[in-house]
């Protein structure tokens, strides 16, 4: 791909360009062991270990089936903390608002933030409000940063992953991305796809008490499971073998994916986690996950292998094998 | 003022509308004792107390004499932590980038963030990058959230303030706002006003070891010292009497203020602090401040009084007295 001097939408895709930008620009400048973990949250060693995370949300439209930008922000930040094995406790809320936005819309979104924060026992403890003139931003952008208390003394880290570990997805994929896309194309009533946007604290945190077999977790948001699996493969320098027929996906999503020609493996999830689990515990983890409504479709979808190091291999439903690459450009901008 | 159903620029002014929006919408929804302190950072009681803060930056233009959006973000977040008596340690960095931005511009800004973070021994430990399509945002918005370790067991709180306490400003006012405005109007070369944008950790934190007389601190950013003084008066339910002739302001700023008809008291500072100090310690604090380059123009500018409760009274340079009100609308949008 040609080198670009301008920021492309792909730089925000969560895929290859984002990855390169982070590696070549951000990590070089801000090199420190906490950031270079490139986990969803930073873990900060006070006397008690805490996790710290940030995310901006620029989703368009602001409301979509199954959620809105406010729910997305709170649950997204909660999930980033949960992925580190932290109990989410405090979040910040920073609003960048376009002049002229209806206050009733803002209030609806804030209600949503409030109710999902309360449901997860998370407190909004600091905030900031900026308003920019008309056309200088698109309606509303939200940043939520979060702090959580680390629950587990075992460090969840991509460095713990080894061959034969199992890859688990906690449920059906691609529902968030397609729900936003359907809304945007005004196909939402026809397609009736709801975003999976949800807080994962209730599903994941109890699990960590019942098994020590989980080595690493990440929520496959922008770029979908394909991108997250590639990140895990690269960071662990191991291969990942995925069996497509085991990936849980609803019939509706399959149909939309074919209709629109967009591969579900690259489409954002907002209420799912990928877990890397020791092989002996994988079945137990699946059993535990399926007891919870958010985990009822959990499946083992793959295995960590030695080679090809840093790559993801997909055995397709047609029984062929191919490399599953990271996303390069952005098929679905502003999905979160 | 007529009630509005739309977001106005004034909602982001840091003045009355912002205040009302926070009170009527945000505080109602997210009511908790940490947030309702409405301090610049949240203080979170882990085993060791930490402070937590967030700010988004939407300044236009991205570069101005004395700084840029990156320097502004880092120093602004550092200062919010310092105002609570916390040693800034960790920040997050979330970028919302307009598609098409020159990467070289972004790199310059990231260099700036990196160097000011390093200078203050602050680590960027987590981040997020979003790109939106052309015209959906104006070039670049930055959110930085920060965590610091509380250095002082004495709690700095507006609730400690009492009558006779002295109000101190650490230096010349209004330089940030006028520098951005001059750049925007392409008067920058002619007026040659540099933003005061600076990290206050080196000025303020050593001070807290040398005196126990400081009761409260706040950096008078958006809305200027007039707005911050009003916030202090309201929150403490005491009056504040300010003597205009003691307010340090450069000749250049005085001239520009008259030229443009904008009152310096409402113009943003980005490297200044307002301190509320017990009367016995005020002279000592001034002496200590003046030893540091960032505090060389520090002055006692006023006194806390019993009445009128919640209001700020200004004795003008013409020896008349008037109520100094909070900002209602936004004279200078996107100053930070």
């Amino acid at each position: 791909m040609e080198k670009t001097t301008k920021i492309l939408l792909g730089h925000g895709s969560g895929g290859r360009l984002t990855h390169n930008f982070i590696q070549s620009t951000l990590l070089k400048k801000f090199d420190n062991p906490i950031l270079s973990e490139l986990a969803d949250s930073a873990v900060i060693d006070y006397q008690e270990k805490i996790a710290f995370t940030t995310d901006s949300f620029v989703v368009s439209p602001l409301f979509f089936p199954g959620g809105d930008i406010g729910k997305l922000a709170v649950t997204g930040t909660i999930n980033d903390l949960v992925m580190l094995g932290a109990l989410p406790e405090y979040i910040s809320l920073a609003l960048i608002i376009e002049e002229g936005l209806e206050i009733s819309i803002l209030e609806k979104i804030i209600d949503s933030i409030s109710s999902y924060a309360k449901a997860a026992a998370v407190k909004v403890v600091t905030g900031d409000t900026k308003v920019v003139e008309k056309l200088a931003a698109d309606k509303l952008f939200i940043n939520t940063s979060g702090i959580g208390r680390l629950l587990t003394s075992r460090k969840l880290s991509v460095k713990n992953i080894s061959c034969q570990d199992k890859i688990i997805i906690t449920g059906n994929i691609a529902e968030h991305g397609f729900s936003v896309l359907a809304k945007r194309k005004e196909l939402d009533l026809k397609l009736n796809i709801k975003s999976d946007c949800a807080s994962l604290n209730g599903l994941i945190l109890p699990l960590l008490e019942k098994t020590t077999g989980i080595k690493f977790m990440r929520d496959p948001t922008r770029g979908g499971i394909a991108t997250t699996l590639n990140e895990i493969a690269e960071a662990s320098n191991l291969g990942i073998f995925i069996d497509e027929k085991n990936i849980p996906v609803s019939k509706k999503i399959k149909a939309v994916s074919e209709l629109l020609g967009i591969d579900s493996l690259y489409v954002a999830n907002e209420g799912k986690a990928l877990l890397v689990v020791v092989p002996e515990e994988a079945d137990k983890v699946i059993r535990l996950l399926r007891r919870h409504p958010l985990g009822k479709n959990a499946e083992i979808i793959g295995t960590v292998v030695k080679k090809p190091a840093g790559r993801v291999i997909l055995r397709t439903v047609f029984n062929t094998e191919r490399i599953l690459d990271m996303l390069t450009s952005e098929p679905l901008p502003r999905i979160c």
Side-chain angles (χ1 to χ4, degrees), chain A residues 172 249-257:
Chain A
N172 292 356
V249 51
S250 73
K251 277 185 186 160
K252 214 184 281 178
I253 291 291
K254 258 188 200 152
V256 174
S257 161

Side-chain angles (χ1 to χ4, degrees), chain A residues 166-173 175 196 200 203-204 207 214 225 243 245-250 271-277 281-302:
Chain A
K166 293 294 176 193
I167 307 290
I168 289 174
I169 180 87
T170 59
N172 292 356
I173 65 162
E175 292 171 353
D196 62 336
L200 292 173
L203 175 69
I204 297 294
L207 201 62
I214 297 174
I225 67 166
D243 203 338
K245 73 171 187 302
N246 295 336
I247 299 174
V249 51
S250 73
K272 297 298 174 326
L274 278 167
L275 316 182
V276 185
V277 181
E281 291 282 294
D283 287 334
K284 178 179 165 189
V285 169
I286 288 287
R287 270 201 314 278
L288 291 168
L289 284 169
R290 286 184 183 162
R291 282 187 202 162
H292 192 284
L294 292 176
K296 65 178 195 287
N297 297 316
E299 291 289 351
I300 300 173
I301 60 168

Side-chain angles (χ1 to χ4, degrees), chain A residues 154 205-213 281 284 288 291:
Chain A
R154 292 170 298 112
L205 295 180
L207 201 62
L208 295 176
E209 288 169 24
K210 291 181 188 132
T211 172
T212 56
E281 291 282 294
K284 178 179 165 189
L288 291 168
R291 282 187 202 162

